[in-house]
Amino acid sequence: MDKQKLADIFAQIKKFDKIIISVHKRPDGDCLGSAFGLKDIIKATWPNKEVYVLGEYVEYLSFLGKTDEIEDEVFEGSLFISVDTAGRDRIFDQRFTKSDMMIKIDHHIAVENFGDIDYVDVNRPSVTLIILDLFREFQDVLKMTSNGARALYTGTLTDTGRFKYSGVDGDTFRSVAVLYDNGLETREIYDVLDVRTDELTRFKGFFLQNFKKTKNGVAYIKILPKHIKKFKVSLEEASSLVNELGYFAECPIWILFAEYEGGIVRARMRSKGPAINELANKYEGGGHSMACGANLGTWKRTNLLIADADELAKKYKEELK
Ligand SMILES: [Mn+2]
C-alpha cells in the first residue's frame, strides 16, 4: 500500500467536481464493483459532485448500479478514473483524453502507465480492496452507504473466488469488516450470484460430460459455437464454468477454450500448481500467475497450448517428487 499515492488520489477526488469512472471491456464483478463502490463513496461524502460510471451493461451485475451514457462535453473539466484495467486500449470509454486528469487504479501487473497518477497494487487480490484501502486511509472524511458496501463486497467475492485465491490475507478481512460496519447485507448478493438458468444448468451437464484430460494433468474443454447455440447460453455464462475443471487432484492446470466474435479462439487458464502466466504470454495473453487468459486466434493453435501446458504439469509433478 502506497499511502502517499492514496493521499494524492484522495486530494484529486476532493478537488474535482466532476468525476468519470470507467471499467474495462467485458466487465466483471471486480471492475463494476470498484466503480460503483467508489461512486457511492464519493456521492455519500460529497453529494454535490457529479459522478458517472461508464461501462457495458451486464445482466447479472445490474443490481450494483446503472451505468451512464454521456456526451463528449461532459468530459471537459473532469477527473477520469480507470479501474481494474492494465492497458489503455482495454478501457471501455476511449474518450478519456478529453478529461483534465486521469488516474489509473489497478491490481494487474502493469502493461503500461497511462494515468497522471498510476496506482497499481498487485498484492491486492481485487481492486475493490484498493478502493477500501483508500476508504480506510481517509475514514474520518469518507462516507459509504450500504449500496457501496454491497458493490465492494461483490467485487471482492468474485475476484477472490469467495476468499479462496492467493492474495487473500488479514487486510482482506479487515476491509470486509469495514463493509459490515457500513451496512453490508450479504444475503441479497448471494441470492443474485447463486442464480442459474435452466439453459446454463443443462449446459453444465454437457460440460461435465465432455471435458478431457491430458496424460500429465491438464483438464480442458473446447466450447464450440454450435454448443453455445444448442444450449442457448451466452459465452460469458459458458466460460464462467471454468473452475468446474479445478476439482481433479491429478490436474494442476485446467483450461477452457471458446470462440469469440470473428472466430477468435480464446483460452481461460487456471492453475493450482505451477505459475501459468508466462505460458499465457507466449500465446498473446496475460493476467495473474494462477488465473489468466490467452488469445489463440484459431482452433488449430489450441493443441499447441495444451501440449505446452501438459509439459508444464509434467515438470511440476516431477519437481514435487
Ligand atoms: Mn480485478
Side-chain angles (χ1 to χ4, degrees):
M1 189 162 87
D2 185 335
K3 290 192 178 203
Q4 182 53 52
K5 266 195 187 173
L6 285 179
D8 293 344
I9 291 171
F10 174 80
Q12 295 306 327
I13 289 173
K14 194 177 166 191
K15 188 176 112 187
F16 277 87
D17 290 327
K18 194 156 55 174
I19 297 163
I20 299 169
I21 307 166
S22 175
V23 300
H24 56 70
K25 294 171 186 168
R26 296 193 290 125
D28 59 11
D30 186 32
C31 68
L32 284 168
S34 307
F36 285 113
L38 180 57
K39 177 183 176 179
D40 178 82
I41 291 168
I42 298 169
K43 289 297 284 184
T45 310
W46 299 284
N48 294 329
K49 286 188 195 285
E50 278 176 59
V51 186
Y52 303 96
V53 172
L54 307 182
E56 271 161 63
Y57 176 80
V58 181
E59 173 70 33
Y60 82 100
L61 294 167
S62 59
F63 74 107
L64 297 181
K66 214 176 156 294
T67 53
D68 300 290
E69 279 177 35
I70 55 174
E71 303 294 328
D72 290 2
E73 303 89 78
V74 182
F75 287 82
E76 280 162 36
S78 73
L79 167 64
F80 189 98
I81 302 177
S82 162
V83 292
D84 200 34
T85 310
R88 193 192 306 252
D89 59 337
R90 290 268 295 139
I91 299 172
F92 169 76
D93 200 310
Q94 291 286 316
R95 294 177 291 175
F96 52 80
T97 49
K98 297 182 195 297
S99 289
D100 284 19
M101 190 182 190
M102 181 155 179
I103 294 175
K104 169 193 187 179
I105 302 176
D106 191 23
H107 67 134
H108 300 96
I109 297 160
V111 295
E112 61 181 336
N113 294 327
F114 55 72
D116 298 298
I117 302 172
D118 281 62
Y119 190 91
V120 177
D121 187 348
V122 295
N123 296 313
R124 289 292 182 240
S126 68
V127 173
T128 49
L129 289 164
I130 299 177
I131 303 299
L132 279 159
D133 285 337
L134 178 73
F135 183 80
R136 289 170 61 198
E137 195 61 20
F138 296 93
Q139 223 165 155
D140 296 343
V141 184
L142 294 174
K143 296 188 178 86
M144 184 195 299
T145 75
S146 60
N147 287 341
R150 179 177 61 187
L152 293 170
Y153 188 71
T154 302
T156 306
L157 274 186
T158 55
D159 251 34
T160 62
R162 304 198 179 188
F163 306 110
K164 281 198 289 190
Y165 300 159
S166 64
V168 172
D169 58 12
D171 281 342
T172 307
F173 289 97
R174 277 183 283 275
S175 287
V176 168
V178 169
L179 297 178
Y180 279 99
D181 293 343
N182 284 278
L184 175 66
E185 302 251 11
T186 59
R187 203 197 140 150
E188 182 197 358
I189 300 170
Y190 291 113
D191 282 350
V192 172
L193 293 183
D194 289 339
V195 157
R196 187 172 280 152
T197 61
D198 283 20
E199 288 82 1
L200 189 58
T201 304
R202 289 182 206 290
F203 178 79
K204 187 175 170 183
F206 162 82
F207 186 104
L208 296 177
Q209 298 274 342
N210 288 281
F211 65 86
K212 293 198 167 57
K213 286 179 182 177
T214 65
K215 192 166 134 239
N216 296 301
V218 178
Y220 67 93
I221 188 161
K222 296 183 180 183
I223 299 170
L224 304 174
K226 66 177 179 190
H227 304 139
I228 295 291
K229 212 173 150 196
K230 183 180 170 198
F231 289 94
K232 298 189 178 69
V233 292
S234 71
L235 268 175
E236 276 311 305
E237 285 178 307
S239 305
S240 71
L241 296 179
V242 59
N243 286 331
E244 294 297 331
L245 298 177
Y247 291 95
F248 305 112
E250 72 282 15
C251 293
I253 300 172
W254 59 101
I255 308 173
L256 179 149
F257 297 99
E259 185 177 320
Y260 288 79
E261 254 173 66
I264 294 167
V265 178
R266 292 204 181 102
R268 282 197 186 194
M269 306 159 60
R270 301 288 183 269
S271 172
K272 53 185 173 185
I276 50 172
N277 51 325
E278 275 181 29
L279 182 58
N281 291 341
K282 186 177 165 188
Y283 291 89
E284 286 77 52
H288 306 284
S289 61
M290 298 289 153
C292 45
N295 291 299
L296 284 311
T298 63
W299 282 109
K300 251 189 182 168
R301 291 188 76 210
T302 59
N303 292 334
L304 296 174
L305 174 59
I306 293 166
D308 281 348
D310 185 65
E311 195 53 40
L312 206 57
K314 187 179 168 191
K315 268 192 207 141
Y316 173 74
K317 287 180 178 176
E318 277 165 4
E319 279 164 18
L320 285 183
K321 276 178 197 162

